[in-house]
Amino acid sequence: MKTQAAIAEKKSGPLRIEEVELADPGQGEVRVRIEACGICRSDLHAIDGGESVRFPAVLGHEAAGVVDALGTGAAQLAIGEQVVLSWTPACGICPACRRGEVQLCRGLKMSVGLDGPLSWNGRGLDRFMALGAFCEQVVVPAAMAIPIGGAVPSTQACLIGCAVMTGFGAATKTAGVRWGESVVVVGCGGVGLAAIQGARIAGASRIFAIDPVEERRAAALLAGASDALNASESTRQVIAATDGGVDVAIECAGKSQAMVDAFNMIRPGGRAVVVGLASLADSFSIPPILLLTEKSIKGSIYGSANPAVDFPKLVALAGQGRLDLASFVSKTRPLAEVNEGIAEMREGKPYARGHDLLRSASRRPFASRRSAPRCLGQQ
Ligand SMILES: [Zn+2]
Ligand SMILES: [Zn+2]
């Protein structure tokens, strides 16, 4: 079938809205009509060549929509069902999936090559994170389309597919924040704000938020932080305020110094979790003698999610009004305005948080603008 996609033809170029050919869903696959897709920092990195993707490619990996065709062997989904796309294949047969750690699925790839279901003028198109959701329709394995029950509009539910799951899960799953614990979140972009909400909902008694940008600190307080601190002097302040360190530190800044700071802010026996995406050349060092205090430091990907189980839980929390998804959304645009949305992300306005969203299906011209600041994605 023919559908519309935003194509990244070459590194750093603008995306082109073009008619593309989409193959029918095959064995175990479904076709999803995309209703909304967030623009994430990782999409910008991919355009700039900083993430692994082959051009020409279709980006977009934070999407929700409606199932509109089923391949054979995909009977677990029904036509018309609302789904959030997941970027872990959850293959079910690799060692990680068999252990129940589907966030570590061996099949997880940023680039899936040019011989997938999408093509343009006879050329294959890569699909970022095996999704390529800057497109009106996608064909994906059924395990990557998670039914959520229709309680939350796709313009909000799509955020669960990347930033919200990543931050919320880092707090609640990777770090396993327990009620009454003290938490510090370093870096209050979209993922950091989701981590703050996760810590709040888990019952943290005190949540410190650290960010150099005043507007992000204000957003952190709205998300549930009890204390918002500027970066300078914050490590000392947090240790002093907690009589020796917090139970849990969550690093969402993508900077090696922030990772060391997170480790330094936890108490003996505390847990530091690293979420931020550092550059390949970065490194940090921690004196091993400090490990004698039973401090731990651990990485986190996708919030240690099992999407099939966790996405519906997040939708339920949002439906109850406990998880605030609306505050992440700054603006929605039709797919045709994808370049304008990306340009706004690049401006990096510090007062803004949340994601720009593309509503590829509705084709409505500009849907809404929120006064809430916008976070700019992963970091
Ligand atoms: Zn993302
Ligand atoms: Zn697997």
Side-chain angles (χ1 to χ4, degrees), residues 208-230:
F208 298 87
I210 298 176
D211 198 288
V213 178
E214 184 181 354
E215 289 79 2
R216 288 189 179 192
R217 295 198 296 273
L221 292 171
L222 286 175
S226 51
D227 305 75
L229 304 172
N230 201 341

Side-chain angles (χ1 to χ4, degrees), residues 113-286:
L114 304 181
D115 53 1
L118 263 189
S119 60
W120 172 47
N121 292 335
R123 301 166 70 189
L125 291 165
D126 198 4
R127 295 165 301 136
F128 188 44
M129 308 303 289
L131 295 176
F134 290 169
C135 193
E136 290 193 320
Q137 270 119 339
V138 297
V139 167
V140 296
M144 297 175 76
I146 312 301
I148 58 164
V152 173
S154 289
T155 47
Q156 296 178 17
C158 65
L159 300 166
I160 290 171
C162 187
V164 169
M165 185 71 248
T166 297
F168 192 99
T172 59
K173 300 198 72 177
T174 318
V177 171
R178 297 183 285 271
W179 71 268
E181 289 195 312
S182 53
V183 176
V184 61
V185 175
V186 186
C188 300
V191 172
L193 293 171
I196 290 168
Q197 290 209 46
R200 166 175 56 78
I201 290 171
S205 59
R206 194 161 181 187
I207 304 171
F208 298 87
I210 298 176
D211 198 288
V213 178
E214 184 181 354
E215 289 79 2
R216 288 189 179 192
R217 295 198 296 273
L221 292 171
L222 286 175
S226 51
D227 305 75
L229 304 172
N230 201 341
S232 64
E233 296 295 297
S234 56
T235 301
R236 189 186 53 75
Q237 289 172 334
V238 168
I239 293 170
T242 51
D243 193 20
V246 289
D247 299 300
V248 170
I250 302 168
E251 186 279 336
C252 303
K255 303 276 191 291
S256 50
Q257 184 57 51
M259 296 166 192
V260 173
D261 291 346
F263 184 81
N264 287 336
M265 281 186 282
I266 53 174
R267 61 165 170 80
R271 293 103 73 198
V273 167
V274 171
V275 184
L277 196 61
S279 74
L280 281 176
D282 279 354
S283 64
F284 63 77
S285 64
I286 290 171

Side-chain angles (χ1 to χ4, degrees), residues 90-94 96-97 105-107:
C91 75
I93 55 174
C94 76
C97 284
C105 177
R106 196 175 272 178

Side-chain angles (χ1 to χ4, degrees), residues 117 146 210 268 294 315 346 351:
I146 312 301
I210 298 176
E294 296 199 353
V315 168
R346 285 194 191 284
Y351 57 78

